Amino acid sequence: MLDIQNVTKVFGKDTVNEHTALDDLSLHLDKGEFVTIVGSNGAGKSTLFNAICGTFFSDSGHISLDGADITYMPEHKRSKMIGRVFQDPMKGTSPNLTIEENIALAYARSKHGPLGFALNKRDLKIFRDALADFDMGLEDRMKTKVGLLSGGQRQVVTLLMCTVVPPKLLLLDEHTAALDPATSEKIMKITNDMIRKNNLTTLMITHNINSALKTGTRTIMMDSGSIILDISGEERDKMSLNELLDLYTRRSKKVFDNDRMLLGTE
Ligand SMILES: Nc1ncnc2c1ncn2[C@@H]1O[C@H](COP(=O)(O)OP(=O)(O)O)[C@@H](O)[C@H]1O
Ligand SMILES: [Mg+2]
């Protein structure tokens, strides 16, 4: 489904700030896989997502999605196939449009028709029902401007926008990190339900190692632009937080520098 081959990205080439953010990185995901990504600050996790989305072209290597080579495909074209949710609830939705209008726009964009409000009454009912299921008090606020919603509510709208037409790939970049623990837990549950229901191929960056090991089917750990650990199945099921941190220290020859992660907090 997703095939990343030997991708390298160097920022500030030939300057004093030269930094290799992705270092000959390769990763393959099968359809329906749900992979969690952990790693210290600056490991290159978000840069990996940027490379997949086409925020920049990689210096070398190839990326293909569902059999198509997207290495040089522009970002706006990839966005029709890839859903992305950021940590910041302000990103992803338009504050001056209503919930209904935001979802309609996402729908129109994914259907690669002209931009417009293309949801019919039946679609709207489906989304109102979906919102009711999420139990976030959103179903009766379809005509409310998104700017008036809480962070958690906005993340739910963004998730719904990403899945209104199921994407080939869903990228979640610490999308619950800015929320309080209770809301974060709720959004994770909604995320899991959406992924399972649509059988979405997913990459999720998280600072919560416990949640990384429990969520999805496979966990990778990044450091200095490389994947230093890739576990699934029984090996992953048996892995404890401490064992994972031990492995990190041995393989990266560093102590983990992500405090929130060490604490295992939400
Ligand atoms: N657009 C950019 N220009 C220069 N340096 C960047 C850029 N984006 C990321 N970096 C650098 O690349 C490294 C990896 O960043 P990032 O992928 O955001 O890390 P994280 O794993 O915390 O998400 C960091 O050192 C960061 O400063
Ligand atoms: Mg990041």
Side-chain angles (χ1 to χ4, degrees), residues 95-106:
N96 292 319
L97 298 181
T98 66
I99 293 181
E100 197 172 290
E101 287 166 345
N102 268 282
I103 295 172
L105 267 182

Side-chain angles (χ1 to χ4, degrees), residues 11-12 19 21 39-48 50 173 205:
F11 289 115
H19 179 80
S40 52
N41 297 323
K45 304 179 298 295
S46 297
T47 303
L48 173 64
N50 286 336
D173 192 343
I205 298 170

Side-chain angles (χ1 to χ4, degrees), residues 51-77:
I52 295 170
C53 290
T55 309
F56 51 70
F57 291 153
S58 309
D59 300 329
S60 57
H62 286 277
I63 304 176
S64 72
L65 183 62
D66 200 20
D69 187 337
I70 60 166
T71 310
Y72 298 108
M73 185 186 278
E75 186 170 23
H76 71 274
K77 278 200 178 156

